[in-house]
Amino acid sequence: MDISDEQLLTDLFRVITLMRRFFDRAMTEQGASLAQTKVLMCIKELPGTARAADIAEIMGIAPRTVTEALDGLERDGLIQRMPDREDRRVKRLTITPAGEAAVAVTEPLRRQLGAKALGALNASEREHFHAALQKLLERMANG
């Protein structure tokens, strides 16, 4: 069976889109969307030192996108922005107790959803899929 590049790419993008929707819907119902949980996890990993620029770099997204996400998280009471003691132009990010609670629920849920989705693959398929993904990642990293 000869599968075209276009068919593979179409299927890959459909899987990614459906997985994001699946994860996002379930996680949002529990307190934070997939994207919000990712940002909260970044802030949690850089306690007291995280800046919007750090989040943008870690996640590989535009600073403006991070600022919009942070605005929503702050509005929802999941993070706080605090002025840096040495440079008042800089805002340091901290996760609030409500943000901690959201991560405590949504991060394990994200893992469960991932296991459920990938549970469709047997051990051999998982190995082949992983190998194929590694080749694609290497190709994309090397241009």
Side-chain angles (χ1 to χ4, degrees), residues 30 95-106:
Q30 297 301 314
I95 191 167
T96 65
E100 291 278 1
V103 168
V105 173
T106 57

Side-chain angles (χ1 to χ4, degrees), residues 106-136:
T106 57
E107 183 55 18
L109 177 59
R110 183 192 63 79
R111 287 191 207 111
Q112 290 170 356
L113 295 171
K116 180 178 179 181
L118 294 174
L121 304 175
N122 66 36
S124 175
E125 290 168 331
R126 289 172 72 93
E127 286 181 33
H128 291 327
F129 185 55
H130 183 257
L133 287 174
Q134 294 307 304
K135 281 184 176 182
L136 289 171

Side-chain angles (χ1 to χ4, degrees), residues 3-44:
I3 301 170
S4 71
D5 291 348
E6 193 58 37
Q7 184 61 53
L8 281 172
L9 290 172
T10 298
D11 290 348
L12 177 61
F13 290 136
R14 283 186 65 217
V15 166
I16 291 167
T17 299
L18 290 172
M19 283 184 78
R20 273 201 180 128
R21 283 185 195 154
F22 174 66
F23 279 54
D24 209 42
R25 191 175 309 119
M27 292 173 71
T28 298
E29 289 174 3
Q30 297 301 314
S33 70
L34 176 59
Q36 288 174 319
T37 299
K38 286 180 181 181
V39 173
L40 289 169
M41 291 296 295
C42 287
I43 295 169
K44 190 174 176 170

Side-chain angles (χ1 to χ4, degrees), residues 49-71:
T49 64
R51 303 169 303 145
D54 299 325
I55 305 303
E57 185 175 330
I58 290 167
M59 296 184 70
I61 56 179
R64 178 167 175 76
T65 303
V66 171
T67 298
E68 290 171 3
L70 294 175
D71 289 345

